[in-house]
Amino acid sequence: MAVALVLLSACDREAREVRGKPLPETAVAAQTSQLFPAGGTAGPIDPRAKMYEGNAYHIAEGGRLYRQMNCVGCHANGGGGMGPALMDDQWRYGGRMDQIVASIDQGRPNGMPSWRGKLTPTQMWQLAAYVRTLSANVAKDVAPSRSDTMSATYPPTLAKPKPPTDSDPAAVKGPAR
Amino acid sequence: MTRARLSAVCVGLSTSGCAGVQSIAPSAGAHTSAFNSLFVVFLVVCGFFYLLVIGFLGAAILRRRRQGEDGVPALFRVWVGLVSLSLVGLALASWLTDRAMASYGDKGPPVRIRLTANQWWWDVEYLGANPSEAVRTANEVHLPIGRPTLIELQSNDVIHSFWVPNLAGKQDLIPGRTEDIALLPRKIGVFRGQCAEFCGAQHAHMALTVVVEPEAQFRSWWRQQQAEAPAPRTPEQLAGMTYVTTRECATCHAIAGTTASASVAPDLTHIASRKTIAAGTLPMSRGGLYAWIADPQGVKPGAHMPYIGLEARQLDAVVAYLETLK
Ligand SMILES: [Cu+2]
């Protein structure tokens, strides 16, 4: 029985949902953090968040896109540059999966381009899942155990999770699962 | 299946590697013919000795040594001499073949290509005498007959292996390193290369079309590849071009002469002039383009082109435009 359970739980982590979940073209309209324009409190988390964040394949695809789409050019490998750091606990627009997707989809006023119509919703979710591994906010069993790039920090499997800080009312502690 | 049928299938399978577009037997390149000659030398020499040894064994069993006989018979000296001579001969033949193969790259001004492997397609860059002659394409190389081609091999992700059995042996592509291989094609034809190192889910669908053609034809192919993409002529083609250059496609693909200039996917400038789609997965045709763009994940699950879900009208327009990219 225990063996069966272990085997089954491993399937979730590995499953390759190559088309993503059938999604409408219009992307999520998540509430952003109270610190910036939209205000209000964040609603319940989008159920898709869990599926993307809990899957090693989606995280790996997100990592590939993060480099191919040159997020690195502005955010470096999480440490930040012209754009803010993505590996810490500070979020201007919220650090929840759906909030990160919204940042990617809509763009943000101080220089973050909008990727709507350039990336598919599936790719945005994959990117968001990868962005959350940068601050070690995904489960250890799905995070990559070593970095594909040069890095002075611990890999996400060893790093301490940095949940979005409490000053942000939209914050959720730990992985959203 | 009956036994006869089964054995027929076995024979078929074991000889199917000996003919056609992907094969080591009818050597179309200098490297494979050199290697095949060496193989024949080894086969003949080793076969001769094999038969001899079997013969001796039989003779020894028939004519056992009787008591009282002694000394080294003259025949034994001949035997040792024969073996030593043949071993030296084989070593010499290997060395000569190796030297000859290493020098094919010096025979005349070479064509220089940079081939970059990606999961799961080949990025092809022809490096001309100067940058203005450079040409970028994918999954298909054209080579002039009788002229050496020097290929620089690189990989963007994992280890792949370059293998066009009709022309030469294998060479691995290792991330972070530049390897190289020389080819000297000697037969006109279309051959098939294949990634020969397991590299992920779609390793089997990572083929490379190799077209060996006369020098003049090769020149005109190169000139044609240098041209920018033609402008759209009908409103439908224009709509297709607008979609391709402003939406998802331009995030990854490049089309020379338009604003699409990304470089993480095959260059589409002359996509319609190629023989296949997605590294040999589908033949180049209207139907193939429809199938691929409508749902790449259905055709090649895991490929790094996403399912976008174009509407029928958009799909029609995009295909109509891509078909003009000769
Ligand atoms: Cu491969």
Side-chain angles (χ1 to χ4, degrees):
Chain A
M1 181 67 194
V3 171
L5 269 179
V6 167
L7 286 177
L8 278 177
S9 63
C11 298
D12 240 14
R13 173 191 181 278
E14 288 296 332
R16 295 185 179 204
E17 192 91 50
V18 291
R19 282 194 197 80
K21 283 268 179 270
L23 300 173
E25 261 289 285
T26 52
V28 279
Q31 293 284 337
T32 53
S33 131
Q34 228 176 15
L35 301 171
F36 223 79
T41 47
I45 182 113
D46 189 304
R48 282 171 286 184
K50 210 172 142 184
M51 168 197 147
Y52 285 98
E53 209 180 29
N55 182 280
Y57 172 68
H58 287 313
I59 291 176
E61 289 293 288
R64 191 177 50 77
L65 286 167
Y66 188 86
R67 289 179 288 276
Q68 287 190 337
M69 298 301 132
N70 202 22
C71 312
V72 174
C74 296
H75 295 281
N77 286 308
M82 173 269 189
L86 299 176
M87 65 194 299
D88 57 12
D89 58 353
Q90 308 282 313
W91 293 90
R92 299 180 188 176
Y93 305 95
R96 243 165 61 163
M97 275 289 280
D98 48 355
Q99 292 168 325
I100 297 174
V101 171
S103 287
I104 300 170
D105 178 58
Q106 300 160 0
R108 292 299 175 221
N110 299 320
M112 167 72 183
S114 159
W115 295 83
R116 180 174 301 173
K118 313 276 188 214
L119 293 173
T120 65
T122 300
Q123 291 177 315
M124 295 184 200
W125 282 102
Q126 292 173 332
L127 275 164
Y130 177 73
V131 165
R132 275 181 57 88
T133 52
L134 294 173
S135 50
N137 274 315
V138 300
K140 301 283 184 219
D141 65 335
V142 293
S145 57
R146 68 184 171 86
S147 172
D148 282 340
T149 54
M150 268 205 281
S151 170
T153 53
Y154 284 115
T157 42
L158 296 179
K160 229 167 90 191
K162 284 170 261 178
T165 45
D166 282 346
S167 64
D168 177 356
V172 273
K173 288 213 172 84
R177 53 203 327 255
Chain B
M1 214 186 295
T2 66
R3 184 166 298 183
R5 264 250 224 58
L6 196 68
S7 50
V9 168
C10 290
V11 171
L13 278 179
S14 57
T15 53
S16 62
C18 298
V21 294
Q22 186 182 337
S23 148
I24 48 167
S27 34
H31 292 79
T32 33
S33 35
F35 196 78
N36 283 355
S37 316
L38 187 64
F39 180 73
V40 169
V41 171
F42 266 70
L43 193 70
V44 167
V45 173
C46 296
F48 172 72
F49 278 98
Y50 175 72
L51 292 179
L52 217 57
V53 167
I54 294 293
F56 283 164
L57 214 63
I61 291 169
L62 289 179
R63 305 180 52 236
R64 259 164 300 161
R65 181 181 299 192
R66 270 157 282 282
Q67 267 168 357
E69 282 182 30
D70 224 349
V72 180
L75 207 58
F76 185 72
R77 282 162 221 264
V78 175
W79 169 244
V80 171
L82 208 61
V83 170
S84 318
L85 207 69
S86 307
L87 282 179
V88 170
L90 287 182
L92 201 68
S94 306
W95 185 75
L96 289 176
T97 308
D98 180 63
R99 289 297 85 207
M101 276 163 66
S103 71
Y104 291 144
D106 313 337
K107 296 202 169 26
V111 180
R112 290 179 51 233
I113 301 177
R114 181 181 301 136
L115 195 66
T116 310
N118 296 273
Q119 280 174 323
W120 293 278
W121 58 281
W122 303 92
D123 197 356
V124 181
E125 284 167 275
Y126 278 77
L127 313 169
N130 57 63
S132 70
E133 281 180 15
V135 156
R136 188 125 187 238
T137 176
N139 300 328
E140 186 165 319
V141 294
H142 286 237
L143 307 175
I145 185 166
R147 233 172 90 192
T149 301
L150 291 181
I151 307 186
E152 271 176 40
L153 301 167
Q154 297 177 345
S155 167
N156 270 340
D157 35 48
V158 298
I159 301 179
H160 301 269
S161 184
F162 171 84
W163 191 35
V164 186
N166 297 61
L167 295 181
K170 296 173 192 171
Q171 176 65 56
D172 281 4
L173 300 89
I174 319 251
R177 289 182 58 166
T178 302
E179 304 288 342
D180 53 56
I181 190 168
L183 305 175
L184 182 56
R186 281 188 177 155
K187 224 178 247 169
I188 287 175
V190 178
F191 307 112
R192 186 175 188 277
Q194 167 67 38
C195 175
E197 177 75 38
F198 181 72
C199 57
Q202 289 299 339
H203 164 62
H205 287 144
M206 188 168 164
L208 178 72
T209 309
V210 180
V211 181
V212 178
E213 55 197 6
E215 180 80 31
Q217 234 167 300
F218 171 72
R219 286 271 138 221
S220 71
W221 173 82
W222 189 317
R223 266 197 304 282
Q224 175 237 334
Q225 296 289 312
Q226 271 182 299
E228 293 186 340
R233 271 196 230 99
T234 68
E236 191 182 38
Q237 291 167 10
L238 179 65
M241 175 174 153
T242 308
Y243 189 96
V244 170
T245 53
T246 57
R247 293 290 302 273
E248 296 89 352
C249 323
T251 321
C252 300
H253 292 283
I255 300 178
T258 74
T259 50
S261 55
S263 59
V264 299
D267 188 296
L268 299 181
T269 312
H270 297 287
I271 173 77
S273 74
R274 291 183 211 144
K275 296 192 163 36
T276 68
I277 299 169
T281 309
L282 291 172
M284 174 57 65
S285 65
R286 175 174 292 178
L289 283 172
Y290 267 100
W292 176 253
I293 295 159
D295 186 7
Q297 297 303 324
V299 177
K300 194 170 175 179
H304 291 145
M305 170 153 158
Y307 168 77
I308 295 173
L310 296 180
E311 283 164 25
R313 200 168 27 82
Q314 296 170 323
L315 187 60
D316 286 338
V318 166
V319 172
Y321 174 60
L322 291 185
E323 276 186 315
T324 67
L325 303 180
K326 290 276 184 208

